Amino acid sequence: MSKMTLFKLFGTNLKITTKIIHTTTRYKTKNYNAIYTKMYELNPLKLVFPLQQFQRKYCFRSFRGDETDSDSEDIEQKRDIKNIILQDNNDILAIKISECKSLQDIFDLLQNNNDQLNWKNISMAIAMVRELQIIFYRVCMFEKNLNSFLTPEDNFENILTNNDFLNLMNLMEKHYEFMNIQCLSYSLLCLHKIGVDINCTVSTKLSHRLQNILKTTPAEEIESCILSRFTVTIVSHRDLVGLHILKDIWPIILKKINLCDTYEDIKHISICLYNLPWFLNKSIMDNFVTLIERNLLNKPQNDEKIKCIVKVLRLINSPYWINQNINLTRSLLLNLQGVIKHIALYDMIQLQMIIVKQSEPYQLFEEIHNETSKWLSKADIDTDITVLRLLSCIVPSSSASQRKHIESLLRKQFLLNNSFSQLCIGPLFNIIRNLKTSDLQICNAYWSSVLDWLISGKPSIREHHKLLRICNRYMNFHNNMSGTYRYYKFENQMINWLNDELDHGISAIIPSKFSKIFSFFISYPNKNIGYEMPEVMVKKVLDTVGQYNIYDCYIISRGLNTAFINRKNKTSLPMFLDQYVRLCTALNKRCLEIINQEPNLSISQLNSLYRGYNHRYNVKEPRLFYKILEGYKNYTSEDFSSRSIRELTYNLVTSDWYDAELLDKCLEYFIKNHKYLLAENVEKILTLFFLYGVNSEKFIEFLPHATEIINRDKFKMSGLNFMRASLALCYFYSLSTSIKDYLFSVEFLEKLDDELNNCYAKATYPLKIRQLLMILNRAVCIDYPEFDVPWFHTKYCEEIQSLVPKHTGSFYLEVEKKINQLIKNKGFLKSNSFSPYGYKLDFELILNDSKQLNSASKNEKLTLLLLNEKDLRKTDNEMRGLSKLKQRHLEILGYRVIWIKKSIWNSMFMTEPEAKLSYLKSLIWKKP
């Protein structure tokens, strides 16, 4: 059976009306049913369209132009194409074409009226081809589960090889010179969206003619939609040719910024700017921001404003500008509060991605999550690419039961039979990555399918930028699984492809490309590819390190960190260690050059520098470290955001550094914007202050807000994060009754059991949870006796105590020797003992007033505890939070606590023969 015959059979049985009714309910549109019932009341589609367009529109892509649908933003309503491109036109044939219900109708009209065709008919025909393509994928493709047996190779006619369509292309080439500017721009974009090569003859002729018209027409007379269509099409060149063409259009776009006076204008100019990030600078963005503040904020809400806000948000949240306009982003997002249920599905996905990146505001995050979560109930019977994209957005904030449901869905419908479509690869990656599932079968099925797709697909899918994108995904996946997951077959094949790219491609001479290849190449050693880094690659990095920017340095540093961890069990790798030190030293030097040359780096750039520096933790450069910290001092609290503070706190904890001035700026931001914060970000800064055992006036001021936020989100937080936040609040005497009640409830303990059963790090995560729960139970029992919480960890502590080995370190043994010299009556001295509630005591003494230790009257319990470097803050050599909490609890239990610092014990003045004994005497028998 031929492909065309099979499709006709398929088309005949297609229940269009049923699908339209289902789509109406599903996408919550007002006029969808009526419009498409009318559209299809006569005939179903008779010819399908290339799947490549569907992939271009709905798959995750890093290239900006692929996601801009300036011809199909209103995907939930059929546009009046006739009035869009041929306003006030009464051409009878053009009207008939605009009313066609199928491709075949269009082609038949063109063939039957071949001698009457003009540029208006041709323009309308190509516009309707694109319109029917949108309708087909929306109405037909979306109603098919994407692991269906239907594939473009087996069941679809490719329109690009259809003779009728090729004839339409020839007609356009004959008539394009007569087209007006509106038809030119729309036809050019339609060709691009349908899948026609932008470099083919007809597209090139259309683009050159439109370019010339735009250059000679006053900006005031050019509609903004024409500029956005042209920009989206030409930028798809992905090369310097496209940029060369657009440099002549850029001045027009700049003029239009000042001429924008409608939501439609702002929307299309936002599309232009989003697709031309290379031309933007701060001055232009400041001008654009002023326009937005004047025209979008505090204005009445309507559909056009909502669509405009989404496009603006996508622009100001692009990588470089994401931290530049925090207040504007929040204001625009809050403008959408209360209308999320009316937002188009595709726009809602875009919004959810922005919210996740910003980590605020809470109000909209909650509203979008509630709206998108409704789709989870439909996923069992109706899972398509759009639902997957929604799920990929909500997984990070999903409850344990929702995650379990999503994991079950993946297991049943997509992964275990390895039959999911390549269209699902991007969304599935985000879902599995954030699920952090312990089911390795799911992980293996996913990466196996990705590898099979790469191997069996066309060479174009293995272009260097696409391979590097997938490499980056794998590295992120590996990091999210705490470095516990490896898929060696994927790693080996990817390294073979990367080697081939280095030998025959251009990546070897492009620093940003080579840094990514090098990072992946060195990260995943095994017996097949060896454990040493190729010296030729190392030498190339060292020779070209001066060409690397901040992000390149970060990427290589991440690779070095992963490489070091994955080789830590290999004891004999002297060549690798030498290479590692040379590379880290060179990167430190390069980063120092960058920060000296550009003292006004953004907070985002400083965070990348800082994180890269932390990745090189075995090779330090103090000058660079202090320069990075000094860079933050150029900013006020207004310049920070939840996202940047989260990254900064992570970096501070990783580098074990406390900076009071810097953290006060973060707290100022949190205090001012507390009503927008998410609990997971609040937990990070609470934990940081607890770990260091410090507070400040700003922190004390923030604590009531923190308590309120943690209490508000307690049911949504992960068990680990909630317990960390609760412990910090307990340390600062800010634990509320409602938090306590949930913390020790059956509901929370069952939630912990679910997390432990489904966690990905079975070797470490359960132990971490159990230990933290014990510490929390102890803290609440001792610090909050009025809560009347029972101590239920006695057996656990006994089990742990039986496994604790006796100290054998030189510091401990020397202190023990000196104490034995002082304490003659061994009945008053205990070593390696435990207090009530399970605190480990290095030395426990019982003293009395006679100081001779020969009487049991008026006894005083005293404990000597040893402090190693890891128990002290680097910044001031003072005790950390856990040690301070231990001291507080022991004192409540009746102990006098004495700390002995290793640094003091081994200091110069302790070298005298009797110095250490005298020191111990002064501590033990301290005068009042």
Side-chain angles (χ1 to χ4, degrees):
M1 184 183 294
S2 69
K3 293 181 181 179
M4 189 52 128
T5 305
L6 182 60
F7 177 72
K8 285 182 178 178
L9 193 61
F10 168 74
T12 303
N13 296 323
L14 189 63
K15 304 296 184 183
I16 293 295
T17 305
T18 303
K19 292 186 178 299
I20 293 168
I21 293 173
H22 178 61
T23 307
T24 306
T25 305
R26 183 173 166 188
Y27 293 100
K28 300 183 179 66
T29 57
K30 298 178 181 178
N31 303 315
Y32 208 93
N33 189 26
I35 290 172
Y36 282 112
T37 300
K38 181 178 179 181
M39 188 73 188
Y40 286 98
E41 61 188 0
L42 298 178
N43 297 301
L45 295 175
K46 296 180 181 177
L47 184 64
V48 298
F49 304 85
L51 195 59
Q52 64 196 61
Q53 169 56 31
F54 182 65
Q55 179 183 358
R56 180 185 298 116
K57 180 174 179 183
Y58 293 103
C59 273
F60 283 115
R61 294 287 189 94
S62 63
F63 188 62
R64 295 177 173 81
D66 293 338
E67 290 187 350
T68 300
D69 303 296
S70 57
D71 68 330
S72 59
E73 294 158 23
D74 304 314
I75 54 177
E76 298 179 355
Q77 293 185 0
K78 178 183 178 297
R79 279 88 39 83
D80 186 351
I81 295 298
K82 174 180 169 295
N83 286 328
I84 289 177
I85 67 171
L86 291 173
Q87 299 175 10
D88 303 322
N89 177 61
N90 295 318
D91 186 291
I92 297 175
L93 183 54
I95 294 173
K96 286 183 179 180
I97 292 173
S98 69
E99 295 172 351
C100 285
K101 311 303 187 298
S102 70
L103 275 179
Q104 199 58 52
D105 289 345
I106 297 173
F107 295 149
D108 289 345
L109 274 175
L110 294 178
Q111 186 173 358
N112 294 336
N113 297 276
N114 188 55
D115 55 342
Q116 304 176 35
L117 295 178
N118 57 41
W119 64 274
K120 297 176 183 179
N121 312 146
I122 305 304
S123 301
M124 186 59 68
I126 197 66
M128 284 305 300
V129 169
R130 168 61 181 156
E131 192 70 9
L132 290 176
Q133 183 186 45
I134 296 170
I135 295 169
F136 176 78
Y137 285 125
R138 177 58 63 190
V139 178
C140 299
M141 188 65 185
F142 273 17
E143 306 314 313
K144 291 294 176 187
N145 190 303
L146 289 183
N147 62 12
S148 167
F149 67 91
L150 295 173
T151 63
E153 290 79 16
D154 296 335
N155 303 292
F156 289 90
E157 189 78 13
N158 193 327
I159 194 172
L160 300 183
T161 59
N162 180 271
N163 289 331
D164 290 323
F165 181 76
L166 293 176
N167 181 56
L168 175 59
M169 294 272 287
N170 291 331
L171 290 170
M172 180 168 287
E173 192 171 352
K174 292 178 182 177
H175 294 274
Y176 81 95
E177 292 182 342
F178 305 102
M179 290 182 183
N180 62 23
I181 189 171
Q182 192 72 253
C183 290
L184 275 172
S185 65
Y186 207 88
S187 298
L188 184 63
L189 182 63
C190 287
L191 290 175
H192 163 57
K193 294 289 184 176
I194 289 168
V196 176
D197 188 347
I198 189 64
N199 293 312
C200 77
T201 304
V202 63
S203 293
T204 302
K205 288 182 177 180
L206 262 66
S207 64
H208 285 167
R209 173 162 168 73
L210 182 55
Q211 180 186 7
N212 292 330
I213 294 176
L214 289 172
K215 288 165 62 175
T216 57
T217 304
E220 297 82 1
E221 299 176 14
I222 300 174
E223 294 185 40
S224 56
C225 61
I226 294 171
L227 291 173
S228 70
R229 293 168 193 158
F230 188 65
T231 301
V232 168
T233 306
I234 299 303
V235 83
S236 65
H237 274 284
R238 298 184 69 101
D239 55 24
L240 293 176
V241 174
L243 295 182
H244 179 74
I245 295 172
L246 288 167
K247 73 176 179 58
D248 294 328
I249 307 304
W250 180 244
I252 305 172
I253 296 173
L254 292 181
K255 290 179 182 178
K256 291 296 289 186
I257 293 178
N258 298 319
L259 297 173
C260 287
D261 56 5
T262 66
Y263 294 141
E264 189 74 10
D265 286 340
I266 297 174
K267 178 179 70 176
H268 286 290
I269 292 303
S270 298
I271 293 172
C272 293
L273 298 180
Y274 179 79
N275 282 278
L276 295 173
W278 315 277
F279 295 165
L280 289 176
N281 58 37
K282 192 173 187 309
S283 174
I284 296 169
M285 282 301 293
D286 287 345
N287 192 18
F288 180 77
V289 166
T290 301
L291 169 72
I292 298 308
E293 292 173 340
R294 183 175 67 245
N295 291 281
L296 282 185
L297 299 182
N298 304 316
K299 300 287 184 179
Q301 203 72 278
N302 60 51
D303 289 344
E304 287 304 315
K305 180 184 175 184
I306 292 172
K307 296 178 185 298
C308 180
I309 288 177
V310 173
K311 296 304 180 187
V312 171
L313 281 169
R314 190 174 61 167
L315 168 62
I316 62 178
N317 280 274
S318 52
Y320 185 76
W321 305 106
I322 190 169
N323 289 313
Q324 306 294 313
N325 297 285
I326 302 303
N327 292 330
L328 176 60
T329 297
R330 187 193 304 116
S331 298
L332 290 173
L333 288 169
L334 291 174
N335 256 256
L336 299 174
Q337 194 173 352
V339 299
I340 293 300
K341 60 184 177 182
H342 301 301
I343 291 179
L345 185 61
Y346 185 77
D347 289 341
M348 188 155 61
I349 295 170
Q350 294 291 319
L351 276 177
Q352 179 73 330
M353 295 170 68
I354 291 168
I355 293 289
V356 170
K357 287 181 180 179
Q358 286 291 343
S359 296
E360 63 173 67
Y362 163 79
Q363 295 87 337
L364 202 64
F365 191 98
E366 186 71 2
E367 190 174 346
I368 292 180
H369 178 77
N370 291 339
E371 191 65 29
T372 53
S373 293
K374 296 175 184 176
W375 288 81
L376 192 55
S377 61
K378 300 181 181 182
D380 282 328
I381 58 172
D382 185 30
T383 304
D384 59 28
I385 186 69
T386 309
V387 174
L388 279 176
R389 292 195 68 175
L390 282 171
L391 294 183
S392 73
C393 293
I394 68 173
V395 166
S397 57
S398 295
S399 64
S401 60
Q402 285 179 320
R403 287 176 179 238
K404 193 179 298 184
H405 184 83
I406 294 172
E407 186 172 327
S408 174
L409 170 69
L410 296 181
R411 195 176 288 111
K412 181 173 68 174
Q413 291 202 16
F414 289 96
L415 297 175
L416 299 190
N417 56 9
N418 289 10
S419 65
F420 64 89
S421 164
Q422 67 187 61
L423 305 179
C424 304
I425 286 175
L428 279 173
F429 167 76
N430 287 287
I431 294 173
I432 300 171
R433 174 190 177 188
N434 288 305
L435 274 178
K436 297 185 178 180
T437 175
S438 60
D439 190 343
L440 292 183
Q441 193 175 8
I442 289 179
C443 302
N444 291 340
Y446 174 77
W447 289 108
S448 173
S449 296
V450 171
L451 184 59
D452 291 343
W453 168 61
L454 288 171
I455 292 174
S456 60
K458 298 177 181 179
S460 60
I461 69 172
R462 294 187 295 276
E463 293 175 0
H464 59 88
H465 60 278
K466 296 175 184 176
L467 287 179
L468 291 178
R469 187 186 306 126
I470 294 173
C471 286
N472 189 58
R473 281 181 180 169
Y474 183 83
M475 295 186 77
N476 287 334
F477 191 89
H478 173 83
N479 292 338
N480 268 41
M481 300 290 278
S482 296
T484 60
Y485 179 78
R486 300 279 299 274
Y487 193 70
Y488 293 99
K489 186 177 179 181
F490 175 87
E491 294 172 6
N492 293 342
Q493 182 59 65
M494 192 62 71
I495 285 176
N496 289 337
W497 282 327
L498 295 179
N499 261 329
D500 186 66
E501 167 62 21
L502 290 175
D503 291 339
H504 305 103
I506 62 171
S507 296
I509 60 173
I510 301 176
S512 61
K513 304 288 186 187
F514 183 77
S515 62
K516 294 180 178 69
I517 292 177
F518 180 75
S519 179
F520 185 89
F521 199 98
I522 66 174
S523 292
Y524 305 110
N526 59 57
K527 61 183 180 181
N528 294 327
I529 62 176
Y531 291 90
E532 305 287 0
M533 291 187 281
E535 180 61 25
V536 64
M537 296 182 73
V538 174
K539 189 174 186 305
K540 182 174 180 60
V541 172
L542 295 174
D543 291 343
T544 60
V545 70
Q547 301 175 26
Y548 294 134
N549 59 29
I550 291 172
Y551 187 68
D552 297 333
C553 292
Y554 163 72
I555 288 294
I556 295 176
S557 300
R558 182 182 68 169
L560 287 170
N561 181 50
T562 306
F564 191 87
I565 292 172
N566 286 339
R567 291 171 174 83
K568 62 183 177 183
N569 294 326
K570 305 298 176 183
T571 56
S572 180
L573 290 172
M575 180 178 173
F576 168 77
L577 294 175
D578 174 69
Q579 293 170 330
Y580 178 87
V581 171
R582 283 188 289 145
L583 287 167
C584 287
T585 302
L587 290 170
N588 281 335
K589 182 179 178 182
R590 173 57 185 157
C591 290
L592 190 58
E593 289 175 359
I594 292 174
I595 205 168
N596 285 331
Q597 293 167 1
E598 303 177 46
N600 296 319
L601 295 173
S602 68
I603 293 176
S604 178
Q605 290 173 312
L606 288 170
N607 279 336
S608 294
L609 270 178
Y610 199 168
R611 192 159 190 173
Y613 179 80
N614 286 335
H615 280 318
R616 305 186 294 273
Y617 61 89
N618 288 303
V619 183
K620 295 300 184 184
E621 172 51 77
R623 289 180 300 166
L624 173 60
F625 179 72
Y626 290 116
K627 279 278 189 182
I628 293 172
L629 291 177
E630 185 181 336
Y632 289 105
K633 308 295 172 65
N634 297 328
Y635 296 96
T636 66
S637 62
E638 297 294 325
D639 300 307
F640 284 90
S641 67
S642 287
R643 176 189 173 93
S644 59
I645 290 174
R646 180 173 178 150
E647 293 174 354
L648 175 57
T649 53
Y650 174 85
N651 286 331
L652 287 169
V653 170
T654 303
S655 63
D656 191 19
W657 196 259
Y658 172 73
D659 190 306
E661 180 184 352
L662 185 52
L663 285 170
D664 273 354
K665 290 182 181 181
C666 297
L667 288 168
E668 283 179 24
Y669 177 87
F670 274 6
I671 292 168
K672 182 177 179 181
N673 302 290
H674 64 89
K675 61 183 177 181
Y676 309 122
L677 302 180
L678 299 178
E680 61 180 23
N681 295 326
V682 172
E683 179 272 319
K684 297 294 184 292
I685 204 160
L686 283 175
T687 300
L688 181 148
F689 275 85
F690 166 66
L691 287 176
Y692 293 139
V694 295
N695 58 35
S696 65
E697 291 183 7
K698 290 291 181 186
F699 183 73
I700 299 302
E701 184 182 351
F702 174 63
L703 269 175
H705 300 306
T707 304
E708 181 183 349
I709 293 167
I710 298 300
N711 185 54
R712 181 197 71 197
D713 289 352
K714 59 180 180 284
F715 300 111
K716 301 166 190 167
M717 298 176 69
S718 73
L720 181 63
N721 287 343
F722 178 64
M723 288 196 292
R724 282 174 173 168
S726 299
L727 182 59
L729 292 174
C730 187
Y731 178 79
F732 294 108
Y733 290 112
S734 297
L735 190 70
S736 67
T737 303
S738 56
I739 292 178
K740 178 269 300 182
D741 289 342
Y742 178 62
L743 183 61
F744 297 105
S745 67
V746 174
E747 179 185 359
F748 179 69
L749 294 178
E750 288 177 347
K751 176 181 178 178
L752 280 184
D753 285 339
D754 276 344
E755 288 188 9
L756 296 179
N757 290 332
N758 295 286
C759 71
Y760 62 97
K762 297 285 188 185
T764 58
Y765 191 75
L767 297 176
K768 188 184 296 184
I769 289 288
R770 188 70 189 274
Q771 179 71 7
L772 185 53
L773 186 60
M774 183 276 290
I775 293 172
L776 255 174
N777 186 201
R778 178 170 62 196
V780 174
C781 287
I782 297 175
D783 286 328
Y784 294 88
E786 67 273 17
F787 284 166
D788 199 27
V789 172
W791 170 243
F792 53 87
H793 277 87
T794 301
K795 185 175 180 181
Y796 171 75
C797 287
E798 289 173 354
E799 292 173 356
I800 294 299
Q801 291 165 17
S802 66
L803 299 174
V804 174
K806 190 178 184 301
H807 285 301
T808 57
S810 58
F811 177 34
Y812 178 88
L813 295 175
E814 191 174 359
V815 173
E816 183 180 39
K817 179 180 177 182
K818 297 298 181 184
I819 292 178
N820 282 326
Q821 292 176 20
L822 286 175
I823 310 300
K824 304 301 182 184
N825 188 339
K826 303 308 178 189
F828 293 95
L829 173 65
K830 294 181 183 178
S831 300
N832 291 296
S833 62
F834 292 89
S835 76
Y837 296 99
Y839 273 119
K840 174 76 163 53
L841 306 178
D842 295 319
F843 303 100
E844 185 179 0
L845 290 80
I846 299 177
L847 303 180
N848 61 31
D849 290 344
S850 68
K851 300 182 183 179
Q852 299 304 315
L853 300 178
N854 54 11
S855 167
S857 61
K858 297 182 181 180
N859 289 338
E860 177 190 19
K861 291 190 296 184
L862 181 148
T863 180
L864 275 76
L865 303 177
L866 307 185
L867 280 174
N868 290 289
E869 288 84 353
K870 64 182 178 61
D871 303 310
L872 303 170
R873 298 193 296 262
K874 282 184 179 180
T875 43
D876 54 12
N877 212 35
E878 292 299 318
M879 287 193 300
R880 295 176 179 274
L882 277 172
S883 298
K884 286 186 176 181
L885 185 66
K886 182 176 183 178
Q887 176 172 337
R888 185 170 86 193
H889 287 170
L890 290 175
E891 288 174 347
I892 292 173
L893 293 172
Y895 289 90
R896 177 159 70 90
V897 181
I898 295 173
W899 295 97
I900 302 175
K901 292 182 180 180
K902 185 176 182 179
S903 57
I904 295 178
W905 187 260
N906 293 328
S907 60
M908 185 68 70
F909 76 90
M910 288 289 190
T911 56
E912 296 295 325
E914 298 299 318
K916 292 181 177 178
L917 276 177
S918 300
Y919 177 67
L920 284 177
K921 283 181 182 180
S922 67
L923 291 176
I924 296 172
W925 291 285
K926 186 165 111 178
K927 294 181 181 180

